[in-house]
Amino acid sequence: MPDSPDPIEKRLQLKMAERLKLDHLPRWVHGIGLGGTALVFLLSLLVFAVFREVPVWADWVPADEFLHPEYAERMYPDSVFRTRMNTWSNLVYICFGFYAIALAIYDWKRKLPLTRGYLTFAPVQTFLFGLSGIYLGLGSGFFHASLTRYGQQCDVGAMYATLICLVALAIGSWLPRMRVPKTHQILATWPVLALLVIFGSLYFTYYKWDYSFGKISGYLSGVLILFAGVSAITPGKYLQIRWFVGGVVAIVLGSRIRDLDIAGQFSGPDSLLQGHAVWHVITCLMYVCLFLYFRSEERGDQKNRD
């Protein structure tokens, strides 16, 4: 790619796909996104077909959700998928994750300058976000299939991972480079942020039971909003706020549907349209919107050009 992008005034007039750097995607990007998802689906289908009526989780420590059901969907205690739609719906996270990984590879090959936005400049951040999406799909799927304590640990650990990735994106967008103290050397911050994402994700997965997810997620969300807000008003940076608003609307709507499901007011126990499954789809939409928010970034500061 040329090292001299169009002037910022021209880039801000780009059509949506061009602004999001999603125009002219090669077929292999869709191959990874859809192919990876299809592979997980087929493996899950095989497991379900073989162990549909087998009590594989009978000797595992059950989660509170198994002992005291919270969601409306009917449970099948002697099946590998104790709840069906709440398990299958996690494929949306996996699809998002594989697409993010494919886009990270695509961005790495193009080597876009920082003026085209932090997310495409540091594709490792996108790659880790994609891994966290796959982790969330597998972890949440494991929990809803097994309703075990270990499953719940993986489920919540994966939610920590996705939030930590978003916080790292916000911080990286705000501070993509920094000067080494007492020197004139300037280094990219993404290697440090990537290590913190990996460490933080592993830490909160392992020590899940030592923390309140509500409190920690609240802190992380606050940091995300703070840094995203500061980043958005920084001179020379332009992000499409519509995507951030879309993410907020999605989480508010999803939370309302989740509450209706818990109250038994969304659907019946055998309905294909389960409230918590819809929650999975809408929260995935939230991740997509926030991902596109950061991907819409354009910079006019020529001094930051890579």
Side-chain angles (χ1 to χ4, degrees), residues 135-201:
Y135 178 24
L136 180 57
L138 296 177
S140 180
F142 175 31
F143 170 58
H144 288 289
S146 66
L147 297 180
T148 61
R149 187 173 173 85
Y150 283 125
Q152 188 175 15
Q153 185 169 353
C154 292
D155 180 19
V156 178
M159 287 190 283
Y160 278 125
T162 53
L163 283 174
I164 292 171
C165 282
L166 285 170
V167 169
L169 290 179
I171 296 175
S173 177
W174 170 69
L175 188 65
R177 294 191 177 112
M178 65 181 299
R179 188 185 302 276
V180 178
K182 299 181 180 180
T183 72
H184 295 290
Q185 188 176 10
I186 298 178
L187 298 176
T189 57
W190 66 259
V192 175
L193 291 172
L195 289 175
L196 290 176
V197 165
I198 295 171
F199 174 78
S201 299

Side-chain angles (χ1 to χ4, degrees), residues 44 47-48 51-88 90 140-152 269-271 274:
S44 301
V47 169
F48 180 63
F51 299 101
R52 180 173 181 173
E53 305 297 337
V54 180
V56 295
W57 312 115
D59 297 327
W60 292 54
V61 178
D64 289 341
E65 169 61 23
F66 179 74
L67 301 175
H68 308 286
E70 185 177 30
Y71 306 120
E73 186 174 19
R74 184 182 304 280
M75 286 196 309
Y76 298 86
D78 297 327
S79 174
V80 68
F81 283 8
R82 282 176 162 174
T83 55
R84 305 283 167 81
M85 292 310 300
N86 288 352
T87 299
W88 288 114
N90 286 285
S140 180
F142 175 31
F143 170 58
H144 288 289
S146 66
L147 297 180
T148 61
R149 187 173 173 85
Y150 283 125
Q152 188 175 15
D270 298 309
S271 173
Q274 290 296 321

Side-chain angles (χ1 to χ4, degrees), residues 12-25:
L12 294 180
Q13 301 302 319
L14 292 173
K15 294 181 179 180
M16 184 173 67
E18 295 175 302
R19 177 69 182 267
L20 299 174
K21 298 88 178 176
L22 297 176
D23 53 311
H24 307 300
L25 291 179

